[in-house]
Amino acid sequence: MTHTWDPDRYLAYADERGRPFVDLITRIGAADPATVVDLGCGPGNLTALLAERWPDAAVSGVDSSAEMITAARASGAAATFEVGDVRDWGLDTPSPSGSGYSTGGEDGVDVLVSNATLQWLPDHLELLPRLVAQVRPGGWLAFQVPGNFDEPSHTLRTELAAESPYADHTAGAAVPSSYDAATYLRALQELGCDVDAWETTYLHVLHGKDPVFTWVSGTGARPTLQALPDALRPRFEAEFKRRLRDAYPDHGHGVVLPFRRIFVVARVPAGPTSGGPA
């Protein structure tokens, strides 16, 4: 089931969504990369930070959403942007095999970043060898994924979507998921990478009417909402908002949204190894 993204809704909490990206890229040790790629770049506001950190690099962003790429191209970021699927993206390099992998060699990228994107790919753990293979020996792969899928912001949506009359429409909607930091660390270590993996729980203080709904309707809940017919969506949204208000009350200082994030920064080895995918 396909869905589309709304750059304006996504940017409603741009500062809060941007904090993990900044925390991620500060741990990348690349001094003077020639090529930097942002996979799942969204509206390009964060890709611009890559261009600012490495002004001499050729920075590019890739996203599967045409709406996001249109916004990115209009953002003024010193980068190029193209529509593309993370699963299909890559330079023309040999595919990884069970007995090891082949790096992109001198044609690979120096820094490959993916921020809050891989959680939408159920097989993204198996995708890691292919991503490593696109990085030049000695280069960097860095990504961040949400790790809060057991929180009410997600479980309430899942529970409500499974109820009648919604279940018939939402059964095929995309649902994000991720692994813990240790799983990513082991998978990349077996590919020969030096890995720094950690997690952080942010306490976002949100204001406005139904702010948690505004947050999730721009990301995790969006496929579910779009799967519903127009006649049912307002009813679903009203009940979802009610349950979110009960789970995230405002005690007069704003609504606190705990948000756990998983971070991984991997240094690709200087040459092929015998390691295989996890």
Side-chain angles (χ1 to χ4, degrees):
M1 183 180 297
T2 60
H3 56 274
T4 60
W5 297 105
D6 182 343
D8 292 333
R9 175 57 66 97
Y10 181 81
L11 290 170
Y13 292 107
D15 289 345
E16 290 84 355
R17 296 192 198 279
R19 282 184 60 191
F21 185 86
V22 173
D23 290 345
L24 177 70
I25 66 173
T26 57
R27 301 281 277 269
I28 300 173
D32 189 24
T35 53
V36 178
V37 176
D38 184 3
L39 286 182
C41 64
N45 59 309
L46 298 178
T47 312
L49 300 181
L50 299 176
E52 291 175 7
R53 177 172 178 184
W54 295 296
D56 295 328
V59 178
S60 60
V62 180
D63 201 283
S64 62
S65 167
E67 295 84 2
M68 287 293 197
I69 291 299
T70 296
R73 288 171 175 165
S75 69
T80 60
F81 296 96
E82 62 177 303
V83 176
D85 193 315
V86 172
R87 291 165 293 193
D88 300 330
W89 176 87
L91 302 172
D92 187 16
T93 58
S95 298
S97 67
S99 60
Y101 68 92
S102 299
T103 67
E106 292 307 309
D107 293 328
V109 301
D110 293 299
V111 178
L112 182 58
V113 177
S114 185
N115 181 64
T117 296
L118 296 181
Q119 74 274 9
W120 289 107
L121 308 177
D123 60 346
H124 69 264
L125 196 63
E126 289 72 35
L127 183 66
L128 293 182
R130 187 171 185 275
L131 295 181
V132 168
Q134 310 310 316
V135 179
R136 185 174 297 167
W140 301 80
L141 169 65
F143 61 89
Q144 176 271 128
V145 290
N148 66 330
F149 301 116
D150 292 332
E151 292 295 319
S153 55
H154 290 274
T155 60
L156 291 176
R157 179 206 67 226
T158 300
E159 294 166 2
L160 182 58
E163 297 176 6
S164 178
Y166 312 118
D168 289 342
H169 305 282
T170 61
V175 176
S177 64
S178 64
Y179 299 88
D180 61 22
T183 298
Y184 294 119
L185 181 144
R186 287 192 297 269
L188 288 164
Q189 282 182 331
E190 291 187 13
L191 293 171
C193 298
D194 292 327
V195 187
D196 181 14
W198 72 98
E199 65 178 61
T200 298
T201 298
Y202 299 89
L203 298 179
H204 298 304
V205 181
L206 310 181
H207 301 277
K209 183 175 177 59
D210 295 311
V212 178
F213 175 81
T214 299
W215 181 294
V216 300
S217 64
T219 52
R222 187 167 179 82
T224 299
L225 295 173
Q226 289 196 326
L228 293 165
D230 293 342
L232 280 180
R233 191 177 303 112
R235 176 178 164 187
F236 182 96
E237 289 184 350
E239 177 60 17
F240 190 23
K241 289 176 181 178
R242 185 192 68 77
R243 296 185 189 189
L244 288 172
R245 286 195 296 268
D246 289 344
Y248 300 95
D250 187 342
H251 297 293
H253 303 284
V255 173
V256 177
L257 175 65
F259 205 120
R260 176 173 166 254
R261 303 266 184 178
I262 308 299
F263 300 82
V264 180
V265 175
R267 183 81 183 270
V268 174
T273 78
S274 60

